[in-house]
Amino acid sequence: MTGTELKDALDALLAVATRAGVPAENARAEGLSLAAALAESAPRASADWMAVTPGATVQDFFDAAVRGRRWRGSPTAVLTELVAQGSSEKVAYAEALAELASAACTLGEPTMRVVGNASVAAAAQLQAAGARPLLPGTSPQAGTPSLSGTALPGGTTTSSGTTASGGSAGLGGSAGPGGSAVGVQPEAEQAVVAAEAEAEPQRTVEELLAELDALTGLERVKREVHRQVAVLRVEKLRTEAGLKSPTITRHLVFVGNPGTGKTTVARLVSGIYKALGLLSKGQLIEVDRSELVAGYLGQTAVKTAEVVASAAGGVLFIDEAYSLTAGAGGADQYGREAVDTLVKEMEDRRDDLVVIVAGYPEPMADFIAANPGLASRFRTTIEFDDYTDGELIDILVGLARNADYELVPDAVDAFVTILQHTPRGPSFGNGRFARNMLEAAIGRHAWRLRDVTEPTTEQLRQILAADLTDEPEASETSEASEASEAPGASEDQPGTTVAGKDKDAAEDKDVADEAETPDKGETA
């Protein structure tokens, strides 16, 4: 591959971004980051990625992957803002991102892991925009994209479609009837979609709180958010009535282990604050230290101010905020500059900006105490508990259902066994662990169907117990045993390298982004 599919997908994404009034450089940057995050475990993916990013290096590829990992299970920053604005282009943009996820499967040598990543990421984008969920094996014109046709290790393909030399039909498939590109609608249809979007009413506080209540687990979080809403609502009513009211800080501290739903709740909080009339836009901008700190003194203040400006009217969510002040001697000069700038910007924009900082409990306490300006502005801390086994099962089943897969009972039992033998600690991924399991299972599901010429819809939907483990089925064990007796036999599956395995392990260890928490109504 030479990155041709990715270039075409980027062009389509930029076309939608232009119609939506989104700066092209913003859409291109997040598109490249998402593609890198999905394909980073594929051998030689960086070379194909660099082919469409002139002047980029291998380090740029992996830096982009780090930035894009958070979007493997949640909507991108631009899509989040389009949804918050009720843009008529939100569905088209989500579909373009799904096409881009498909293109990521063609970078380097496609692996089962990449296929799983792409399926879950595409489902997250489509669901956030209110589009129909993924339906494996169907065409885009029939309703949803699919990954059928994606080349897998060894030159085989998933169920149907092209070979390794021919690329991938992808999540969005190929051209639609008449040769038109998928996702590009006739002008009349576009006008209808735009009119419907413009007529779409803004979501109410009650609707957003109902969505919060429908999330799996998080009982303590739900109670605190309801309390905050009640306090802020009364404060607003008292102000409107001309009564004196104490100044109540709206900024929040979220503490908890990775994957406990902090980003999901932050997104709902941004919508709730907008519905209360406390924010003008209600978008969520999610960043970490790398997006606030620059390489030279003096540049960090500018970079941080620009990030805060992009969040004006909405919520700025800073993950692992303690990294700005961490270290034996306290904050480094760059982190201190970022914090000082943040405090100033929070004061200047106090009427139309909410900042939520998140991280592990103890480091976050040190972070707040490191600067008097932070301590006076962050007075409310919400604790996110780890999920129970039952809640993780609900999350896995819900994520699968959102992507239009079904875990058979034996698969659910297998996941229970895996949970019982998985050590729990601060680094346990919680919802992220469940999403990793699904991504890997989707890849194994595709590999299992590699020789099935015309799989049934049931086969395309069902995740079996064998898809949740690396242990081969009995028939495969027998075949592998016979093959191992042949001269020069390899211990790995075609296309799988030891380096690739190490990369996956490192990725799972490093990634601490949030898994989207499914509604109770979407789980078994």
Side-chain angles (χ1 to χ4, degrees), residues 40 69 72 113 258 320 360 426-429 432-433 436 501-513:
E40 64 178 320
R69 285 173 186 168
R72 292 209 318 233
R113 177 62 177 271
E320 297 182 349
Y360 293 107
S427 61
F428 176 66
R432 172 64 195 174
F433 178 81
N436 275 341
K501 292 177 181 176
D502 290 343
K503 178 67 183 174
D504 284 350
E507 182 182 329
D508 287 343
K509 179 181 179 182
D510 293 340
V511 175
D513 53 344

Side-chain angles (χ1 to χ4, degrees), residues 71 207 436 438-439:
W71 300 325
E207 290 171 337
N436 275 341
L438 179 62
E439 290 172 351

